[in-house]
Amino acid sequence: MQEQLDEGAIVGHGRFGTGTVRVDLGLTAIVRFAHGVEECKKSDLQMRRSITSRVRNAPWDLPLEVINRVQAESIISINNSWGVFARSRIELLPHQLWVCREVNKEWPTRWLVADDVGLGKTIEAGLILTPLLTSGRVGRLLILCPASLVEQWQQRLRTMFDIRLAIYTPDADTPRTDFWHTHAQVIVSLHTLRADHRGRHDRLLESDPWDLVLVDESHHINADEKAGPTLAHQLIKKLTDHNKIRSMVFFTGTPHRGKTFGFLAQLQLLRPDLFDPRKPLREQLVHLRDVVIRNNKYNVTDLKGDRLFREPHVDMATYSYSEIEQLFYDTLTEFILKGRAYAAKLSQSDASAVMLVLIAMQKLASSSVAAIRRAIRGRLQRITDGRKKVAELSQRLADYRNLLDEDAGDAVASAEEELARISSALVLMEDEEAALRNLLAIADRIESETKIERLLEIVAERLQRRAVLFFTEYKATQSLLMSALLQQFGPGCVTFINGDGRADGVQMPDGTTQSIRKPRDVAADEFNSARVRFLVSTEAAGEGIDLQENCYTLIHVDLPWNPMRLHQRVGRLNRYGQRKRVEVLSIRNPDTVEARIWGKLDEKLDRINEAFAHVMDTPEDLKQLVLGMTSSQMFQKLFAESVNAPVQKLDSWFDQQTASFGGQDAVEVVEALVGAVHRFDFRQVSDRIPKVDLADLRPFFESALTLNGRRVGGTDSGISFITPDAWRDSPAVRTKYENMGFDRLEASARDTQRLLGIGHKAVDQALAQARERDVMVATVPVELLSEPFVVMLVHDRVTDGPLKPSVLFAVCPSGEAQSLRIVQDWEVLKRLNEMPWRKELLRDASPPANAEDVLAMIEEAHAAISTQLDDLVPRFAVPECQTIAVLWPR
């Protein structure tokens, strides 16, 4: 097209659809499309007749072509806002759709999604990503997450949404490989990428900008008022300062980790225009609704408005030490006290090192005698073999302190076990070797542990035929319990998960001792599929593994010194898909100091919940928010020093040590956060949530095949077809498809390649073809369509800020005299899908006898919708509507 284009001329573009010419620049033209303004080559534009010209001139368009185009525009409008047509293999929930709508309502986007554990952050991420990737708004995607979750994120996005990401490895990133230019969609460990090794950051900064950076467990991206920003924070700041990030979405279950400065520093990365960690939080609360989303699991609902989750039933069992176990406990306590007294005489650095080892031994002993026995033997062996270099110890201790700062689950537990064994150069007390040998001699006299016996008794008496998930912190305790379960319930009854996929020293029913290897995904699958009854896990399953398919019972074999871990453990079972109320059991010896401290903590946590009861409008378990705000070091200090606390004054000592925990400051911060953030409320959005799913794509897709001259075969559960030639310009589109389905819950849908939805290349091609058709007006037999439909796309004329996807509406008579009704996009799709198939839909039709009636209806429709635009699309600065189709009954 080389002729002069008048302002206001209607043109079509193969990629952007239909638009209106704003300015002719000679070889190019500025065109306003529904999504925004583009400068296009005039040779890529096709002239389109105006709606007025089409209405007044015969023949009108094929009804099925117009219907198919309106279906396509409705589908895109719905999905851009809600992501409901994403190819997820599990049922989508209202709060997940709502999160997608809020995050994607503007582009670029900046949000912190802080939903509670078990609400499906991977699903939310997939829903957010699908319309962005399909529409082309995101080409380059970077996902940052903890190292232990990299493969899980990759696998879930691939199997649930057919989103395929390359995993970053340091070996693949060299000056020769040019990794960052050759991979457009990448997932990488945040802890790996944050370290600038061998020019890694320079190569990252030299690559093209990322359209979207998504960060999981984003609380690692914070800053300390004195120590400064973490390496993860520095990395994101470096990328933003170099304009390498267009949009960012953070995910975390604990947004506020106890330090307001760090919380605001994280938010400042997202919106530096709104947040400053140097200013008071109260002054910035007004902006939280624009940046932070938090949904609590006890407030989310299904599509009927019924709550999805119930609070777990929590119970406690007790046991008592045998005489020999009590002797061991008392002797170890004396050892710890003497070690502390000895440390008090040392220099600060040496005393700190001694205390770390003593704390590790104390924690191991609270788990099982087996755990502390293994550590004592290792330490004695090292003393016997000779002292290690002080430098080696110093490095190990430095690594251990870093692990404590990160609170890294299994890594911390492994370091504690190792720390208790190493460092013969570090003397814990006078006559240490003799004291250790005495402890070991007592431990070796313990033939069975009463805690394990009590657990077996509970399983046998109270949990008959139930699947049971056990959690323990240490591998030695894990192997001990596995051995006991195998002895009582027989071969094949138990599997395990830990950090390295290996359980040592497991005694089999035949009396042999073995080391067992098992990948954690295999163990999880065995447990979920009921092939094994018991699963014994360390903290390696505390995050990122779903275990709710066949189990609703959890037992804490030991209690971690950070109560937040308990919440994370329960989150493995109390998540969507759990059909029963989760039951949680902890086991304690009430005569130990640790049990008494736990009792005090439970009382204080209950008081915290009571403090929130009178300030919150809706019931919500907010204890985990307070726990998330509390430094793990506070709990570490509390349990470690409790051994010194006088029994007679334990209450006052505890109150003094926990004075700041759950205090008024914490209550005020949590109250402010919960009250100020953006959250899903079914009552407010239920009428807007689209009542459609993948099955509502089928009428559109089958009519698209029909318009291409293809027959549709298959059954109610699936279709088969030969791909139209017009859809085969992509190598990802196959020539033929068989047994393709639209039901995400069907067994066949577990193979994502057989599930049709947005993101599947054949569906995407069908949508693109339908939207490119130069058709706008059609008549439909009155028995198929009883009232006229004027279909409009509403877009925002303002383009100098965040771009907002256009929204489709239709206007039709309401049934009352002289009144019109506005129909949402999903209702339009439903109405067209209900239209019975008739061959007349493939025939040209003349316009109505009086075309002026149609034009009058279009004008009335524009007037009706224009008066409500501010309510319909409140996020649009200057909304404008464009008629894209008219369906008229004949």
Side-chain angles (χ1 to χ4, degrees):
M1 179 187 301
Q2 298 302 325
E3 65 268 23
Q4 181 73 22
L5 295 175
D6 295 332
E7 181 180 357
I10 307 299
V11 294
H13 187 279
R15 177 182 173 191
F16 303 128
T18 302
T20 305
V21 174
R22 295 302 190 212
V23 182
D24 188 317
L25 298 176
L27 295 177
T28 64
I30 304 295
V31 183
R32 172 65 207 231
F33 296 98
H35 70 274
V37 174
E38 304 282 352
E39 183 172 355
C40 306
K41 292 171 60 178
K42 287 169 62 175
S43 59
D44 292 338
L45 301 175
Q46 303 84 40
M47 287 296 298
R48 299 277 175 90
R49 289 189 298 156
S50 68
I51 188 74
T52 301
S53 174
R54 292 170 184 269
V55 168
R56 285 182 171 151
N57 295 283
W60 278 19
D61 302 310
L62 288 179
L64 190 58
E65 287 190 338
V66 178
I67 291 169
N68 191 244
R69 183 190 169 198
V70 174
Q71 286 174 319
E73 295 288 2
S74 300
I75 290 166
I76 295 297
S77 174
I78 298 165
N79 204 66
N80 278 345
S81 294
W82 299 94
V84 69
F85 296 121
R87 297 161 64 210
S88 165
R89 292 193 292 104
I90 67 172
E91 186 178 1
L92 303 180
L93 300 174
H95 75 273
Q96 295 169 341
L97 300 174
W98 178 84
V99 168
C100 173
R101 187 191 73 157
E102 295 306 296
V103 171
N104 283 354
K105 65 184 179 183
E106 292 183 349
W107 188 258
T109 190
R110 298 288 177 103
W111 283 95
L112 170 64
V113 181
D115 280 0
D116 197 2
V117 176
L119 292 186
K121 64 183 175 186
T122 313
I123 300 299
E124 291 172 345
L127 292 176
I128 290 166
L129 289 172
T130 296
L132 296 175
L133 291 168
T134 305
S135 66
R137 279 182 284 172
V138 169
R140 285 179 57 79
L141 168 66
L142 178 64
I143 296 181
L144 304 169
C145 67
S148 61
L149 300 180
V150 167
E151 291 187 1
Q152 177 179 294
W153 268 91
Q154 184 202 42
Q155 186 262 346
R156 288 190 176 181
L157 288 177
R158 175 177 58 81
T159 58
M160 291 182 176
F161 297 95
D162 202 26
I163 297 172
R164 298 171 183 267
L165 303 166
I167 292 181
Y168 172 91
T169 61
D171 292 342
D173 179 17
T174 69
R176 289 187 176 184
T177 58
D178 196 21
F179 180 90
W180 298 111
H181 279 103
T182 55
H183 293 80
Q185 296 177 11
V186 180
I187 184 165
V188 57
S189 161
L190 176 60
H191 294 85
T192 297
L193 193 61
R194 67 184 184 179
D196 188 11
H197 288 165
R198 300 178 181 178
R200 177 185 298 158
H201 287 184
D202 288 340
R203 290 190 294 276
L204 179 60
L205 293 173
E206 289 168 1
S207 65
D208 293 334
W210 299 99
D211 297 314
L212 176 63
V213 172
L214 188 153
V215 183
D216 186 22
E217 305 296 343
S218 65
H219 49 263
H220 293 297
I221 305 176
N222 59 47
D224 184 81
E225 196 165 5
K226 295 180 179 178
T230 62
L231 289 176
H233 187 284
Q234 293 176 43
L235 171 64
I236 300 298
K237 183 70 163 57
K238 188 184 297 184
L239 289 170
T240 55
D241 287 347
H242 285 78
N243 296 317
K244 293 298 179 179
I245 301 178
R246 295 193 173 106
S247 287
M248 277 193 291
V249 179
F250 292 171
F251 285 91
T252 179
T254 52
H256 195 299
R257 302 282 283 187
K259 296 184 178 180
T260 298
F261 187 93
F263 173 63
L264 291 174
Q266 183 183 176
L267 295 182
Q268 188 181 41
L269 285 175
L270 289 168
R271 292 294 301 272
D273 57 323
L274 298 181
F275 296 98
D276 186 340
R278 290 172 294 275
K279 295 181 179 179
L281 174 63
R282 288 279 173 186
E283 296 178 6
Q284 304 173 73
L285 287 175
V286 67
H287 302 304
L288 286 183
R289 285 187 59 84
D290 300 322
V291 184
V292 181
I293 291 172
R294 177 172 174 80
N295 293 308
N296 179 269
K297 65 172 51 171
Y298 303 117
N299 286 337
V300 300
T301 70
D302 60 17
L303 285 170
K304 298 177 182 178
D306 297 327
R307 294 190 187 277
L308 291 169
F309 295 94
R310 291 181 292 172
E311 292 195 51
H313 174 73
V314 179
D315 198 2
M316 181 180 68
T318 61
Y319 70 100
S320 298
Y321 284 148
S322 65
E323 183 177 346
I324 188 64
E325 286 176 313
Q326 187 65 51
L327 175 61
F328 180 82
Y329 176 81
D330 293 339
T331 305
L332 179 64
T333 300
E334 183 180 358
F335 180 91
I336 298 293
L337 289 172
K338 286 183 178 180
R340 285 177 169 273
Y342 177 77
K345 305 174 185 177
L346 304 178
S347 66
Q348 183 175 353
S349 59
D350 287 345
S352 176
V354 169
M355 291 302 298
L356 282 172
V357 177
L358 292 173
I359 288 170
M361 295 181 71
Q362 190 179 347
K363 291 182 71 177
L364 287 161
S366 69
S367 178
S368 69
V369 175
I372 185 63
R373 180 196 289 122
R374 180 184 292 185
I376 292 173
R377 280 179 176 162
R379 185 167 178 82
L380 281 170
Q381 185 63 48
R382 285 178 180 268
I383 292 174
T384 302
D385 291 344
R387 298 181 180 280
K388 295 292 182 181
K389 296 180 180 179
V390 175
E392 178 184 346
L393 170 64
S394 299
Q395 182 58 52
R396 287 181 179 271
L397 292 174
D399 292 342
Y400 176 68
R401 290 191 185 95
N402 290 335
L403 286 170
L404 280 179
D405 290 341
E406 294 292 346
D407 194 19
D410 265 25
V412 172
S414 296
E416 288 164 348
E417 292 178 290
E418 180 71 4
L419 190 62
R421 293 196 298 267
I422 67 172
S423 69
S424 59
L426 182 68
V427 178
L428 301 182
M429 57 181 290
E430 296 171 351
D431 299 323
E432 177 194 349
E433 185 173 352
L436 288 174
R437 292 196 181 281
N438 181 45
L439 276 169
L440 185 58
I442 300 173
D444 285 341
R445 291 167 55 192
I446 300 174
E447 296 180 356
S448 63
E449 299 196 31
T450 53
K451 175 194 281 189
I452 302 300
E453 293 175 350
R454 180 74 172 112
L455 286 172
L456 294 178
E457 179 183 300
I458 290 169
V459 171
E461 294 180 358
R462 294 168 50 180
L463 307 176
Q464 296 178 12
R465 293 182 294 277
R466 277 200 210 175
V468 182
L469 170 62
F470 298 91
F471 263 105
T472 177
E473 287 203 281
Y474 300 108
K475 291 178 62 178
T477 306
Q478 181 183 53
S479 295
L480 176 68
L481 179 57
M482 289 174 64
S483 300
L485 291 168
L486 287 167
Q487 294 295 321
Q488 178 150 339
F489 297 99
C493 71
V494 64
T495 189
F496 71 96
I497 293 175
N498 60 33
D500 59 11
R502 173 174 170 166
D504 294 320
V506 179
Q507 188 172 358
M508 309 305 291
D510 61 5
T512 61
T513 300
Q514 298 182 10
S515 291
I516 306 173
R517 294 184 180 274
K518 185 73 64 73
R520 69 181 203 160
D521 57 335
V522 173
D525 184 62
E526 289 177 341
F527 187 61
N528 280 326
S529 61
R531 298 201 298 274
V532 296
R533 181 181 171 191
F534 306 114
L535 190 153
V536 185
S537 178
T538 65
E539 302 301 336
E543 293 183 356
I545 295 182
D546 299 347
L547 299 171
Q548 78 278 15
E549 292 184 24
N550 188 52
C551 178
Y552 61 94
T553 304
L554 182 149
I555 297 180
H556 298 294
V557 180
D558 47 38
L559 295 172
W561 284 9
N562 185 349
M564 189 64 187
R565 295 266 190 86
L566 300 182
H567 179 66
Q568 293 168 343
R569 290 175 174 184
V570 175
R572 297 306 99 209
L573 296 183
N574 197 24
R575 57 198 306 109
Y576 181 67
Q578 178 58 259
R579 294 177 293 276
K580 296 187 177 182
R581 185 179 185 184
V582 172
E583 297 183 9
V584 181
L585 180 71
S586 62
I587 184 165
R588 306 177 191 177
N589 181 342
D591 296 327
T592 62
V593 176
E594 290 88 351
R596 290 195 289 271
I597 294 299
W598 264 108
K600 297 296 179 186
L601 270 176
D602 287 341
E603 292 175 8
K604 185 141 191 171
L605 288 170
D606 288 340
R607 290 198 300 271
I608 289 171
N609 237 28
E610 291 173 6
F612 286 118
H614 72 279
V615 297
M616 308 311 298
D617 293 333
T618 57
E620 182 176 9
D621 179 13
L622 296 168
K623 289 189 290 188
Q624 66 265 26
L625 278 177
V626 176
L627 291 173
M629 292 173 56
T630 306
S631 169
S632 60
Q633 297 300 313
M634 192 278 281
F635 296 114
Q636 178 96 351
K637 185 173 182 290
L638 178 67
F639 281 98
E641 295 183 1
S642 63
V643 70
N644 282 332
V647 176
Q648 301 83 354
K649 298 182 179 179
L650 187 65
D651 288 357
S652 58
W653 178 86
F654 177 87
D655 291 339
Q656 180 182 359
Q657 296 297 313
T658 61
S660 62
F661 173 54
Q664 188 60 35
D665 289 345
V667 172
E668 289 180 356
V669 170
V670 171
E671 179 187 355
L673 288 178
V674 173
V677 298
H678 205 26
R679 64 175 53 226
F680 167 79
D681 186 335
F682 184 82
R683 294 166 299 179
Q684 293 182 4
V685 301
S686 59
D687 60 330
R688 296 187 179 184
I689 296 174
K691 311 301 188 294
V692 292
D693 206 339
L694 288 180
D696 294 283
L697 291 178
R698 183 166 182 167
F700 157 77
F701 195 73
E702 291 187 350
S703 65
L705 288 169
T706 299
L707 289 170
N708 281 279
R710 297 300 194 214
R711 294 181 57 187
V712 181
T715 63
D716 290 342
S717 62
I719 64 173
S720 301
F721 58 91
I722 297 174
T723 308
D725 294 339
W727 300 358
R728 294 180 57 193
D729 59 356
S730 168
V733 179
R734 299 206 301 264
T735 303
K736 185 178 181 180
Y737 292 91
E738 295 185 356
N739 195 28
M740 304 298 292
F742 294 91
D743 187 345
R744 64 176 85 250
L745 302 183
E746 280 285 328
S748 61
R750 291 188 177 275
D751 178 3
T752 312
Q753 295 302 309
R754 294 188 179 275
L755 186 64
L756 291 173
I758 288 186
H760 191 285
K761 297 301 180 183
V763 174
D764 294 346
Q765 292 287 75
L767 288 167
Q769 183 191 44
R771 299 177 75 198
E772 290 173 9
R773 285 198 178 95
D774 186 16
V775 294
M776 295 181 72
V777 292
T779 56
V780 180
V782 69
E783 60 270 24
L784 302 184
L785 183 71
S786 59
E787 69 279 339
F789 261 62
V790 177
V791 185
M792 300 179 179
L793 275 179
V794 180
H795 60 263
D796 195 345
R797 291 177 59 185
V798 176
T799 59
D800 63 353
L803 297 178
K804 307 166 186 74
S806 56
V807 183
L808 182 140
F809 296 96
V811 180
C812 64
S814 68
E816 301 176 5
Q818 305 298 319
S819 64
L820 298 174
R821 179 169 64 94
I822 296 175
V823 184
Q824 296 182 69
D825 45 15
W826 67 268
E827 295 176 292
V828 174
L829 182 63
K830 278 286 193 183
R831 179 66 185 87
L832 296 181
N833 286 351
E834 293 165 359
M835 191 178 296
W837 164 250
R838 291 270 291 273
K839 289 185 178 180
E840 290 95 320
L841 298 179
L842 283 173
R843 298 174 185 166
D844 288 331
S846 299
N850 190 351
E852 297 307 316
D853 289 345
V854 180
L855 294 176
M857 172 69 182
I858 294 173
E859 186 174 346
E860 291 171 7
H862 268 272
I865 205 169
S866 295
T867 60
Q868 301 186 48
L869 282 177
D870 289 341
D871 294 329
L872 294 172
V873 280
R875 65 184 185 273
F876 286 3
V878 183
E880 181 177 74
C881 54
Q882 171 191 359
T883 301
I884 65 165
V886 174
L887 291 169
W888 199 267
R890 72 172 185 270

